[in-house]
Every structure is written in structure tokens, then in C-alpha cells.
Amino acid sequence: MAEIVAAPEKGPNAWAQAIAALVVVGALGGGLYVIQKNDAQNAAVAADKPAVCRTDDDDKKATEKAHAAHRISGTELCTALNRADLPALLGTPQEHAQTAYGSDGSVKMASGPEIPTPEGTVRLDTYTVQLSRSYDDLPIAGMEDLLNEAEAKTVVSHPAVLYSSQTIAFSFDLGGGKSDTAPGGTARVLMVAPDTKDGGGSYELAVWRQDNVRPDDAALLSIAQKVLPAIPGWTAAG
């Protein structure tokens, strides 16, 4: 049995590489373990039931730790993303979430602090959608000059940048213990400032397809309009 997971590839620019890495962390690190764990848990659920964001003791501890540091947790991002209407917003209303999970990782910069990067991921038959948060000090303004196919946007009154990221397909032979990589399709990513004043940090909403077809921008923007205001603290942040 083979497990195939796609994740956006690092970009060509140094800053873009650091930004793109935020999207990759969950898929390459604890995310793969969580996918397997959730697949095992969801095997006991009827095929017509969507996966839910797990809330075991580890998740509760991670959420408590995040709240103590005035941050959001991966489980909370997963919950905001894993909406009942997500398949319809993606244009695949007949599908449902196969796997839904949150993770609380971080990125260690070469000459700086370790940046928390919690994320939530929902995987359907056709699409994978990921919502992450970066607690760096970088504003959104000017990011369009660093990223591929980038376009400045305003989303829910917040500054944003829409851009493309190449994905890498990771193939795992769960029986033979072998793995392989290959070029994947294009992920479309929306980077949004947490506040209207663009004071630093970002949310990233990424969408890519298992069949490597380019995702629809209109669907991504529709998801953002629904999901971002549901993030805890979004309204208070302005």
C-alpha cells in the first residue's frame, strides 16, 4: 500500500524559502505521523462520515501552552478550517474530509529566534487545504516581490498576497518501507496579515490538488472569506 502526500516546494528566494517552509513543516514532520494516526482512527468511522479534528490529551496540552503564550494552536486552526461546507466551497460537494489534524511546529531561522508555526490541515479525495500561522515580524507589504506569480490582495479588509508554490509528491510504500519523491502540481497560497495595519506575522491558506491540476483562485478566496473570520481572536485583532 502506498501513501502519497504533496507539499509545496521551497521557493527560489531566500525569504520566499523561509515563508514556503512554513507550509511544508507539517507535511514533512509530525504531519505524516498524524495522518497515519488519524487514518487509523477514522478507519472505525463509517465511510460517509467526515473526519474531525482530533482533541486528545496532546492536543489539549498544546492548546493550553499556545494560549499561555498568547498564540493560536494547530487544533484551533484545524477546527476553523474543517467546515461542513468546505467541500462545496472547493467545488466538490460530494466529497468529505478524509483526514483532519492540527500540529504545533516551529521554524528555526539561521540567524534568529525559533518562530512558532501552528497549522491545521484537511485532506479530501481531490484537495488538500492547509491553514497556518507564522509569528514572525514580517509585514505582508512587499512580499509580492519575493514570491512566484504573486498578486497583492485585500481579503476581509486585511492586506494579503496570492501566490503560487510548486509541490513535491512524497510516495511512501507502507508495506516495503520505501519512499520516493517526484515533482507535483501547483499549490495556490493566500498569505494574509493578522490585522488591518499589517503589523507583522501572517496566516497562510494553501490549497493543492492530488491530481496536480492547478487549484481555482476563486475557490481559495471564497474559503478565505469564510474561514479567516472563524479563527479565534480574528475579530479582536482587527
Side-chain angles (χ1 to χ4, degrees):
M1 177 181 179
E3 179 79 12
I4 300 177
V5 179
E9 187 180 27
K10 295 180 180 181
N13 181 277
W15 278 114
Q17 286 182 5
I19 294 165
L22 305 185
V23 185
V24 179
V25 169
L28 298 187
L32 294 179
Y33 165 75
V34 177
I35 287 174
Q36 294 177 0
K37 181 175 181 180
N38 276 270
D39 284 346
Q41 291 174 339
N42 293 334
V45 180
D48 59 345
K49 296 287 185 68
V52 298
C53 303
R54 63 188 183 94
T55 54
D56 60 19
D57 289 341
D58 289 340
D59 293 303
K60 293 176 182 177
K61 290 177 181 177
T63 298
E64 291 172 357
K65 183 178 180 181
H67 286 175
H70 304 288
R71 297 195 302 264
I72 195 168
S73 71
T75 298
E76 289 173 312
L77 292 175
C78 177
T79 300
L81 183 60
N82 192 25
R83 301 169 53 92
D85 61 353
L86 181 62
L89 292 170
L90 287 166
T92 55
Q94 74 283 2
E95 297 183 1
H96 60 262
Q98 298 290 331
T99 306
Y101 63 90
S103 60
D104 292 271
S106 61
V107 171
K108 177 65 176 177
M109 305 304 290
S111 58
E114 191 166 341
I115 300 173
T117 57
E119 63 188 27
T121 303
V122 178
R123 186 174 59 162
L124 292 79
D125 284 337
T126 301
Y127 288 94
T128 298
V129 188
Q130 188 177 86
L131 176 63
S132 61
R133 173 71 159 96
S134 175
Y135 286 90
D136 56 44
D137 296 323
L138 299 175
I140 297 296
M143 285 294 176
E144 63 269 22
D145 297 328
L146 306 176
L147 299 165
N148 186 36
E149 294 185 288
E151 178 183 356
K153 294 279 186 181
T154 299
V155 178
V156 200
S157 301
H158 290 221
V161 174
L162 177 65
Y163 70 97
S164 293
S165 180
Q166 181 68 37
T167 67
I168 304 173
F170 296 85
S171 177
F172 299 88
D173 184 347
L174 302 182
K178 297 180 180 180
S179 63
D180 195 11
T181 62
T186 297
R188 291 295 280 167
V189 188
L190 187 67
M191 183 187 299
V192 185
D195 57 75
T196 56
K197 296 181 179 180
D198 195 13
S202 62
Y203 286 98
E204 283 200 348
L205 182 63
V207 177
W208 63 93
R209 292 177 56 119
Q210 272 64 268
D211 57 8
N212 294 339
V213 174
R214 185 185 179 96
D216 180 51
D217 287 350
L220 174 57
L221 293 169
S222 294
I223 294 169
Q225 295 284 342
K226 297 282 189 178
V227 169
L228 294 177
I231 296 173
W234 176 268
T235 302

